[in-house]
Amino acid sequence: QVQLVESGGGSVQAGGSLRLSCAASGLPASRYCMGWFRHASGETREWVGNIWTGGDATYLANGIQGRFSISRDVANNTLYLLINNLKPEDAAIYYCAAEPSTGLCRKTPDAYRYWGQGTQVTVSS
């Protein structure tokens, strides 16, 4: 059974930092795309970034590069999203997602089969 469990969300003041975690288990393939998405109230689910587990490269959406970074703990099968200098517009539910892949990672939610339950990020100004 596939499980993606996010944690690390919370309520922070603008300018603060958070590190979100996504612990993965039961994924059926040896290589897959792991992505972060966020869903703000009244908005559509938005791609934040992703990594393909067969390589080291990470990809981030325009406009958040420099404040967001993605990393992975291979031994513990955990994906991280570090957010620095949080802004009120970063407030959202953050989800991690996974999809078996031979290398191509897409940016749309419908390209990912497995999802976590989400973790809430609230930013106060």
Side-chain angles (χ1 to χ4, degrees):
Q1 181 180 359
V2 175
Q3 282 195 315
L4 300 175
V5 181
E6 300 98 334
S7 60
S11 181
V12 297
Q13 288 191 326
S17 297
L18 281 175
R19 189 179 76 161
L20 310 183
S21 301
C22 172
S25 61
L27 286 166
S30 59
R31 295 288 183 262
Y32 35 91
C33 296
M34 293 195 75
W36 285 101
F37 290 80
R38 64 184 180 182
H39 194 173
S41 178
E43 304 290 335
T44 58
R45 192 166 295 194
E46 176 187 29
W47 176 75
V48 173
N50 61 247
I51 185 171
W52 178 56
T53 64
D56 296 325
T58 60
Y59 301 92
L60 293 166
N62 291 332
I64 62 171
Q65 298 160 357
R67 296 193 300 117
F68 286 53
S69 62
I70 292 174
S71 61
R72 191 167 69 99
D73 181 340
V74 176
N76 292 306
N77 215 12
T78 300
L79 183 72
Y80 299 102
L81 178 68
L82 175 63
I83 312 173
N84 292 317
N85 190 21
L86 275 152
K87 301 180 178 182
E89 55 262 39
D90 295 322
I93 300 174
Y94 284 73
Y95 297 90
C96 74
E99 175 65 21
S101 173
T102 56
L104 177 64
C105 292
R106 297 179 179 174
K107 302 177 182 179
T108 56
D110 60 4
Y112 289 78
R113 191 176 323 178
Y114 305 107
W115 290 84
Q117 82 288 351
T119 186
Q120 177 76 54
V121 171
T122 303
V123 184
S124 57
S125 57

